[in-house]
Amino acid sequence: MEKEKLLVIIGPTAVGKTRLSVELAHRFNGEIISGDSMQIYKGLDIGTAKITSEEMMGIPHHLIDIKNPGESFNAAEFQSLASSLIADIAGRGKLPIIAGGTGLYIQSVLYGYQFPETPSDEKYRCSLEQKAEKEGPEAVYELLKEIDPASAGRIPYQNTRRIIRALEIYHCTGKTMSEQMEDQPRELKYDASIIGLDMDRDMLYQRINDRVDMMMDLGLLDEVSALYQADLRDCQSIQAIGYKELYAYLDGKSSFEDAVESLKQNSRRYAKRQLTWFRNKLDVTWFEMGTPVSFEKKVEEISAFIAGKLKIKANR
């Protein structure tokens, strides 16, 4: 059976995936599936750099604003929804395009990962939550580093929820999350072209800093304050970069200046982790952005590569 064609656009935060994906969708008659784990949440707009209706330029976008901020979401759910969307988009004669930076989510779709039900242990989980509360998130992070250093290298130490879940999986199954990932399929499920966008590090970090400043000007503090006043606290959405830092300010644990600087620093660190993940886990063709070559010429270069890789024609 012939595999469905799929274009994937990955890269670190602030590198320009959104703009490029819209341009390529116009050229290849495509529809875009967001590969961002936080843009699924309603109300998390500024902090996740969510695309606006104007920026979509008429291109259909999927898996954006499908969850309330208090709801959970995981790679298994993303994989199921994205796979169905790919089949639907391809079935209508269009090119499915996944654009985003959440590595495991995208990898799970590309390889058709299977996610069996993992048992849980509420008593054990509560004990870890209490440990994190009393000793700080570093305490449970150190436990994960001992048991599963690969997962510890992927999960930010502040993301206590994910760290505890990784520890709980090992406690219940005797296998780490990394080991379970190794058991997953290794053959691409799709006829895929995986495009990676990179940029000079200093330039990328400056773009990240500028983006954070722009987010603050656009009203990120008001956006976070609305979630804070709604008493949203122990939930996945608030673990997003841009929200947890400003929660610390609203809790009186940090000055405003320190919270913004922490947001910038965590964003830069996240960009570095994204690049490490994509380089180690996926067969990516990389393109350098932000060079003296104009964006239009870069689009021409990338379009020519995609057309050859997927054997499709671009609209001019």
Side-chain angles (χ1 to χ4, degrees):
M1 186 175 178
E2 189 174 345
K3 293 180 178 179
E4 291 158 325
K5 296 184 186 299
L6 174 66
L7 173 61
V8 179
I9 304 168
I10 59 173
T13 185
V15 78
K17 297 183 296 295
T18 298
R19 182 185 179 191
L20 179 67
S21 65
V22 170
E23 179 64 35
L24 293 177
H26 277 294
R27 289 184 175 232
F28 291 102
N29 190 28
E31 295 188 12
I32 296 169
I33 300 168
S34 170
D36 186 294
S37 63
M38 291 299 166
Q39 292 190 0
I40 61 158
Y41 289 112
K42 300 172 185 175
L44 275 69
D45 301 330
I46 299 171
T48 64
K50 193 177 293 178
I51 190 169
T52 65
S53 56
E54 291 79 13
E55 290 170 335
M56 290 180 186
M57 296 177 63
I59 298 296
H61 281 66
H62 306 275
L63 299 190
I64 294 176
D65 290 339
I66 64 169
K67 291 280 185 177
N68 292 317
E71 295 180 286
S72 62
F73 193 71
N74 57 37
E77 191 171 355
F78 176 83
Q79 195 258 5
S80 175
L81 292 172
S83 297
S84 296
L85 282 165
I86 291 169
D88 174 65
I89 295 167
R92 290 186 278 108
K94 294 192 169 188
L95 178 65
I97 302 172
I98 297 179
T102 305
L104 177 59
Y105 280 27
I106 294 171
Q107 190 179 12
S108 73
V109 174
L110 282 168
Y111 291 95
Y113 281 4
Q114 301 298 312
F115 291 95
E117 284 294 323
T118 305
S120 60
D121 186 329
E122 186 174 352
K123 184 177 179 181
Y124 176 74
R125 184 168 65 251
C126 287
S127 71
L128 292 175
E129 290 170 348
Q130 290 169 5
K131 183 178 181 68
E133 184 68 27
K134 290 178 182 177
E135 304 174 32
E138 297 89 348
V140 289
Y141 184 70
E142 287 301 319
L143 289 177
L144 185 61
K145 280 176 68 177
E146 294 176 16
I147 293 168
D148 186 1
S151 290
R154 188 175 67 249
I155 304 172
Y157 80 88
Q158 311 99 319
N159 196 331
T160 307
R161 173 186 287 268
R162 284 184 63 196
I163 290 167
I164 289 176
R165 182 56 183 153
L167 289 167
E168 186 182 14
I169 287 172
Y170 177 74
H171 173 77
C172 293
T173 67
K175 295 184 71 173
T176 65
M177 284 180 63
S178 299
E179 289 171 335
Q180 293 189 19
M181 288 298 102
E182 288 298 316
D183 293 337
Q184 294 288 358
R186 296 176 180 273
E187 181 183 345
L188 284 171
K189 183 180 176 182
Y190 301 98
D191 178 10
S193 176
I194 308 174
I195 301 300
L197 307 185
D198 200 357
M199 185 176 284
D200 171 79
R201 204 62 69 244
D202 289 340
M203 183 183 295
L204 178 64
Y205 287 170
Q206 187 59 54
R207 281 173 64 99
I208 289 171
N209 292 340
D210 292 344
R211 174 185 272 191
V212 171
D213 289 335
M214 183 178 68
M215 287 176 173
M216 300 311 303
D217 291 342
L218 289 173
L220 178 58
L221 182 58
D222 290 338
E223 182 172 282
V224 176
S225 295
L227 299 169
Y228 186 88
Q229 290 164 10
D231 203 27
L232 283 165
R233 202 158 270 278
D234 185 27
C235 53
Q236 187 173 327
S237 61
I238 304 307
Q239 298 296 323
I241 295 172
Y243 298 84
K244 60 188 177 185
E245 293 86 359
L246 291 178
Y247 260 55
Y249 163 67
L250 294 170
D251 280 334
K253 298 177 180 177
S254 165
S255 70
F256 178 73
E257 292 75 15
D258 285 347
V260 173
E261 183 53 41
S262 180
L263 199 171
K264 291 179 179 179
Q265 185 180 63
N266 288 337
S267 296
R268 295 192 299 268
R269 287 174 174 170
Y270 178 55
K272 186 176 179 180
R273 289 197 305 275
Q274 286 176 301
L275 283 165
T276 300
W277 172 278
F278 291 131
R279 292 190 188 283
N280 291 340
K281 301 291 186 180
L282 295 175
D283 182 14
V284 181
T285 301
W286 292 94
F287 292 89
E288 194 76 11
M289 306 299 286
T291 63
V293 175
S294 69
F295 176 75
E296 289 73 20
K297 287 186 177 179
K298 185 62 65 172
V299 171
E300 291 292 341
E301 177 189 355
I302 295 173
S303 295
F305 174 82
I306 293 167
K309 181 75 167 62
L310 295 180
K311 296 179 176 57
I312 54 179
K313 290 183 178 181
N315 301 320
R316 296 294 177 182

